[in-house]
Every structure is written in structure tokens, then in C-alpha cells.
Amino acid sequence: MKQTIYLDNAATTKTDPRVVEAMLPYFTEHYGNPSSVYEFSTPCKQVISGARETIAKSLGAKPNEIYFTAGGTESDNWAIKATAEAYADKGKHIITSKIEHHAVLHTCEYLEKRGFEVTYVNVDENGIVKLDELKKAIRPDTVLISIMFANNEIGTIEPIKEIGQIAKDKGILFHTDAVQAYGHVPIDVDDYNIDMLSSSAHKLNGPKGIGFLYIRTGVKMRSFIHGGAQERKRRGGTENVPGIAGYKKAVELAMASMEEREKKERKLRDYLIDRVIGEVPYVRLNGHRSQRLSNNANFAFQFIEGESLLIMLDGSGICGSSGSACTSGSLDPSHVLLAIGLPHEIAHGSLRLTVSPENTREEMDFVVDRIKEIVQRLRDMSPLYEDFIRRK
Amino acid sequence: MYTEKVMDHFQNPRNVGEIENASGTGTVGNAKCGDIMRIYLDIDENQVIRDVKFKTFGCGAAVATSSMATEMVKGKTVQEAMEVTNKAVMEALDGLPPVKVHCSLLAEEAIHAALWDYAEKNGITIEGLEKPKSDISEHDEDEEY
């Protein structure tokens, strides 16, 4: 079998074998419905409440403030749609940023069609939300601010503490999409004044299809999935017990190893960045140099197109992603890269590589060598490069 | 997502390069949209396409359609080259994903643009050939990093 070098950990991560092991008993042994009264279901009830405690503790929250969902997208949808609805009497204005995940952006667009107004705050060239603009956007009818903890494409970590303080001072609810950050950077919901927080297990070596929404006590929150009495009647549907068991284990592992993982990732990632920036001409690093997730590198290679680069990397067993139009399924490149001010043609040549502690320096060397070859090969067949060289 | 033929033409593109003093060149597409194709034609006195080269900035499908289109027009007369449509290129590649169909249009347009250039230079008309509407921006930013 061809070797695989997996550098797309922002897309999803490998489920830790210890997580899988923790999940297995809940398929064939403890398969009872947690809502049932008999003793057979007790282990299922226990693992759910245990997971709620583990997660709450990791955030400085209370267990009854953690609501399990099917993942980050559902959590974002719930937080935004349900608060908008619940607080519509107070106002119909929401503030978010231009670089949010589509789970937030498309939800806001949905609300705009239903009489809500949304302000999309700009970011600077590094992807940091402009706080002065955010402050100015606040109106008497603003009910919600939703800003992501860290960006999924360029890895920039937002000034969440400051934003939380601004929201608190103005009495506005603050939601953060922490899908990329939770389990990777320390988060304390009280310290940061976070009222709602979205997370997804598969971004921290947990299983796919399970996430949670933290909702601070006192936030008026309507149910989003109507059904049974699960999740304090706010999210109906039989619990994903194996998923929750796996999430619990993933959080335990992530919290225990955070510092060590961060160090390892940063070392690999910095090595990768230094080599690419030092050895490939006409390339830039997208996102903040230091205020970024430790696993994220995002480059823009001039004169070439991202999908071509990805397919060629795939030919060498290297998994990455790009913000080019061809990979986004539209004619426009990534909204995040455009928001940080990249011209279209440069945004098309972007490459995101997100490492894990399982990667090695040897792999980084192999990847950089391949990038150098492939970028040159694509430039040799690029009319943009031909024109550039002629004009030089 | 791509057929074997597309992958083959992407990974081993035929006729990549430039032709000095080409009989006709055509550049179509737009860097903003992420696709630019440039075709060079070398056409002999009998109006036969003796050689053809291309350069493409774009996705896998854009490179593969450029490569296939150049193969298909090579050795043909300019009039025969008019029959190399986007549909013919796509069929020769065993199809493209629906979102990539516009790439095959670009290949046809690039050939037509090169043929137009040739026709204009030589004061001839090629039946069925219309003036290409090229939307390439001539002043692309050359920012260096």
C-alpha cells in the first residue's frame, strides 16, 4: 500500500484507538436506551452523565450546561437560530464576522431572509476580527454576537476574551464556534464570558457525528430538535451513546495531553513553514504568524491553482486542502482568504496543511520536497508565470 | 472524481510549452475565476496545424482538457479543428464532473481564439469562427512576497 501522509487534521482527525475502545461496549453490551427505566440501561445513563461532567470540567462549566448534538454544524445552527427566535422581542440584530464557518454564515443568511439583520465584521490582514468595528456595530437591538474561537482555514485565534467582555458590558449574548479550538487550546467559559460554545468530537480524535453546545444557565434557549425529553427537553432524540462515550474519552485524552501536543505540533508546523517560505519563491503564509492554532499552516503559492496542487500531492500520498474555487464548488475562492485581502488569483493558489503529533520531521521534509517540485511543475505550465517571467 | 483519462492527461499533459513566432495564439479565461488557458498554433501553408502547445493555470480538469484539445487539433486543418468542440474534448476524456464542464468550454474557446489570431494575421476567414470574447485581465497584479 502507498504511504499516506495525513496533513488535514483541521478537516478531521484520526479516532484515537483508546476512544474506539471506550465506545465499543456501548454497541453490543450496553445497548439499552438511556431513557428506559430498567437497570440494563444504567451504564448508558452513567456514561452520558460522566461525559457531561468531563466536558463541563474542561470548560469551567456546569454539567447541566452541556447539551449533546450531532456535531459542530448542528450546534452552530441551534445557538444562532434558537437565540434569534427567543430574543426577537428584544431585537433582531446579530453581529458575526466575515470569516466564520459556513455553518454560521449560512445560518445568518437564513435569518436575514426572515427579518433579522446581520452585520458581518471585517478582519485584518491576519484574520483578526476588528474590535473597533465590532464595537461600532453594536446597536440597541443587537441580541447576539457570534465569533469563532479559531479559524478553520488560516488557524488565526480570535481575541475571544476581549469580545466576551464587550458583549458582557453591553448585555449581549456571546456565542463562539470553538470547533477548531476546543481540546487544542485552554478555554474557560467564565473567564472568557462565553454564553454559548459549539464543539465537535471528531476534531479532537473523537468519533464523527457527535458534538455539544454549551449553553450558560439563564440563557433563554428554545429547543431546536423537537421530540423526546432528552437533553433537558431541549434536544430530542435518543442519545448517541457510543458517540458520547467516545467523546468523553477523547476529551480526557485531549485535556491531559494538550500542552505536550501543542509543543510537538508547533515544532513540526514551524519547521514546515520555515522550509516552505525559505525555499519556495513567490509564496506567502496566510493567517497570523504567532496567534494561530499550533497545527495550522496555510500558504498561497502565486501563479498556480490549488486543486492541481492537491491532486499532485495526493499522487504522492499527501492529504491537504485548498481554498481554491475548484475545491469549494463555486467560482469564488475561499471567503476567508478574500476577507484577509488576498486577490482572487492568489487565493486560488492556497494550500492548507494541518499537522498532528503523529507526523514526523521526515514526513515534513518529504512534503516540502514534493511541494517544491510540484509548484515548479505547475508554474512551468502556467501562463501567469510565463507572463510574469517575461515582464521581469 | 476524475476519470482515468483525465488523470492521465493531468499528470502527463501533452504539448505543454510555448511556440516562438506562433502562427496564432489565444488566451482565454480569467485569473479571478481560477482558469486561464493559452494555446499556441504553428500552422503551415496548407492551413494544417503542424504543432500546438499550451499553458494553463487551473484545476485538474482545466489542464486535462487543454492537453486533450491540443492532441485533437494537431495535424488537422484549421477547418477540421473547428470540429473539436468542448463536447468532443469531454467525450475523449470519458467525461468530466458536472461542476467542471465549464473547463472544457475554455479549451474550445482557447483554440478558437488562437485560430482567430491566425486568421486575422493572414487575412483569411475560417467558416463558423467568431471573434472570441476574451475576458482575460491584462493587468494582473504581480505582487511579490
Side-chain angles (χ1 to χ4, degrees):
Chain A
M1 210 178 86
K2 173 173 98 170
Q3 67 156 350
T4 297
I5 300 180
Y6 187 75
L7 296 178
D8 205 12
N9 286 280
T12 193
T13 57
K14 173 171 147 185
T15 314
D16 191 297
R18 291 166 290 182
V19 168
V20 176
E21 207 183 312
M23 292 170 75
L24 288 177
Y26 297 92
F27 287 104
T28 51
E29 216 178 304
H30 310 306
Y31 56 84
N33 190 316
S35 299
S36 304
V37 292
Y38 35 73
E39 216 180 300
F40 180 60
S41 285
T42 304
C44 308
K45 291 190 184 86
Q46 280 170 342
V47 79
I48 294 172
S49 60
R52 233 186 280 284
E53 273 169 41
T54 302
I55 292 168
K57 201 172 148 227
S58 72
L59 287 168
K62 296 188 273 296
N64 62 9
E65 294 175 318
I66 305 298
Y67 297 84
F68 290 108
T69 65
T73 296
E74 186 193 316
S75 298
D76 286 342
N77 268 264
W78 185 10
I80 296 168
K81 285 181 194 162
T83 33
E85 211 182 287
Y87 288 83
D89 290 345
K90 189 192 161 203
K92 291 186 142 193
H93 180 238
I94 296 166
I95 299 171
T96 186
S97 83
K98 286 201 172 143
I99 63 162
E100 298 298 312
H101 190 274
H102 285 134
V104 168
L105 288 181
H106 290 166
T107 302
C108 286
E109 284 161 23
Y110 167 89
L111 287 172
E112 279 182 293
K113 287 186 194 129
R114 279 156 186 80
F116 287 83
E117 281 181 78
V118 182
T119 304
Y120 300 90
V121 174
N122 284 302
V123 297
D124 69 11
E125 70 279 10
N126 292 317
I128 307 249
V129 168
K130 291 187 171 166
L131 292 182
D132 53 336
E133 228 180 85
L134 185 135
K135 278 185 213 155
K136 272 187 218 145
I138 294 172
R139 315 191 316 207
D141 62 340
T142 306
V143 290
L144 176 69
I145 295 175
S146 179
I147 303 285
M148 68 202 326
F149 206 104
N151 184 265
N152 49 309
E153 290 187 39
I154 55 175
T156 299
I157 298 172
E158 299 299 338
I160 292 301
K161 198 169 181 173
E162 285 86 334
I163 298 168
Q165 193 60 50
I166 294 168
K168 193 186 178 189
D169 290 347
K170 297 278 182 182
I172 299 164
L173 291 178
F174 175 42
H175 165 252
T176 186
D177 172 349
V179 166
Q180 293 290 335
Y182 177 67
H184 296 273
V185 295
I187 303 175
D188 185 296
V189 288
D190 286 341
D191 196 23
Y192 287 19
N193 290 307
I194 295 166
D195 295 310
M196 286 170 283
L197 177 145
S198 305
S199 160
S200 184
H202 75 101
K203 306 287 189 185
L204 49 134
N205 306 100
K208 292 163 183 69
I210 183 80
F212 72 78
L213 178 64
Y214 156 78
I215 309 173
R216 181 178 291 281
T217 307
V219 173
K220 209 160 52 162
M221 192 62 150
R222 301 201 176 164
S223 67
F224 183 57
I225 304 287
H226 299 94
Q230 293 90 353
E231 302 300 297
R232 305 174 74 221
K233 293 188 192 161
R234 281 171 160 184
R235 203 274 185 186
T238 299
E239 296 88 341
N240 175 356
V241 184
I244 291 170
Y247 209 166
K248 179 177 189 291
K249 190 70 187 175
V251 171
E252 285 167 6
L253 296 171
M255 292 303 153
S257 65
M258 194 183 283
E259 225 172 292
E260 180 198 336
R261 270 184 306 136
E262 199 263 351
K263 235 188 241 166
K264 231 173 152 183
E265 285 172 352
R266 188 178 296 277
K267 209 171 161 195
L268 282 170
R269 192 273 316 269
D270 287 348
Y271 180 68
L272 175 71
I273 290 176
D274 289 346
R275 273 206 66 192
V276 169
I277 299 294
E279 297 176 36
V280 182
Y282 316 118
V283 61
R284 58 164 274 159
L285 178 73
N286 300 316
H288 199 280
R289 186 65 190 82
S290 57
Q291 202 171 316
R292 78 189 291 146
L293 293 171
S294 55
N295 69 357
N296 175 293
N298 189 312
F299 305 103
F301 298 96
Q302 234 181 313
F303 317 116
I304 65 168
E305 194 278 331
E307 193 211 70
S308 290
L309 179 56
L310 285 187
I311 300 175
M312 287 206 174
L313 286 170
D314 183 37
S316 298
I318 301 163
C319 309
S321 79
S322 169
S324 85
C326 277
T327 52
S328 73
S330 74
L331 277 179
D332 281 321
S334 138
H335 63 285
V336 177
L337 299 177
L338 296 180
I340 60 170
L342 289 198
H344 275 69
E345 54 271 38
I346 292 174
H348 283 300
S350 77
L351 174 69
R352 180 188 72 182
L353 299 174
T354 40
V355 304
S356 86
E358 287 192 11
N359 292 120
T360 62
R361 181 177 274 244
E362 288 68 36
E363 287 178 336
M364 298 301 114
D365 281 326
F366 177 75
V367 169
V368 176
D369 291 344
R370 289 300 296 135
I371 287 175
K372 284 165 70 178
E373 278 171 44
I374 294 168
V375 166
Q376 194 50 53
R377 204 174 147 195
L378 290 172
R379 281 179 178 162
D380 285 343
M381 63 166 100
S382 165
L384 293 176
Y385 188 60
E386 180 186 318
D387 292 346
F388 173 76
I389 294 298
R390 269 204 198 131
R391 261 177 281 186
K392 235 169 62 162
Chain B
M1 74 180 198
Y2 289 133
T3 65
E4 263 177 53
K5 274 206 182 142
V6 173
M7 286 305 287
D8 176 38
H9 275 265
F10 171 65
Q11 280 163 334
N12 312 291
R14 283 62 147 177
N15 307 311
V16 175
E18 299 158 42
I19 296 176
E20 291 277 329
N21 306 315
S23 319
T25 62
T27 304
V28 297
N30 189 320
K32 228 184 137 189
C33 304
D35 279 313
I36 294 181
M37 276 181 206
R38 179 171 296 161
I39 300 257
Y40 296 87
L41 297 174
D42 175 25
I43 299 169
D44 71 12
E45 60 283 4
N46 299 317
Q47 299 195 356
V48 172
I49 298 170
R50 198 159 41 191
D51 197 12
V52 51
K53 296 279 185 206
F54 82 90
K55 287 232 171 152
T56 290
F57 162 83
C59 62
V63 173
T65 50
S66 311
S67 166
M68 180 56 91
T70 55
E71 283 244 288
M72 289 171 78
V73 299
K74 204 169 180 173
K76 291 208 164 83
T77 65
V78 294
Q79 200 58 60
E80 285 166 347
M82 286 299 294
E83 283 157 34
V84 178
T85 60
N86 73 301
K87 201 163 160 263
V89 173
M90 237 166 50
E91 274 168 13
L93 288 167
D94 294 336
L96 285 174
V99 293
K100 302 286 186 180
V101 173
H102 72 278
C103 300
S104 63
L105 282 168
L106 219 53
E108 181 187 309
E109 282 169 22
I111 289 169
H112 286 188
L115 286 172
W116 181 268
D117 182 42
Y118 161 76
E120 266 202 326
K121 277 181 187 161
N122 294 278
I124 59 165
T125 44
I126 299 170
E127 205 183 310
L129 183 63
E130 284 168 30
K131 188 172 165 46
K133 37 180 198 308
S134 167
D135 59 351
I136 180 168
S137 47
E138 285 298 336
H139 39 77
D140 298 319
E141 290 96 316
D142 284 328
E143 286 155 284
E144 285 188 37
Y145 301 107

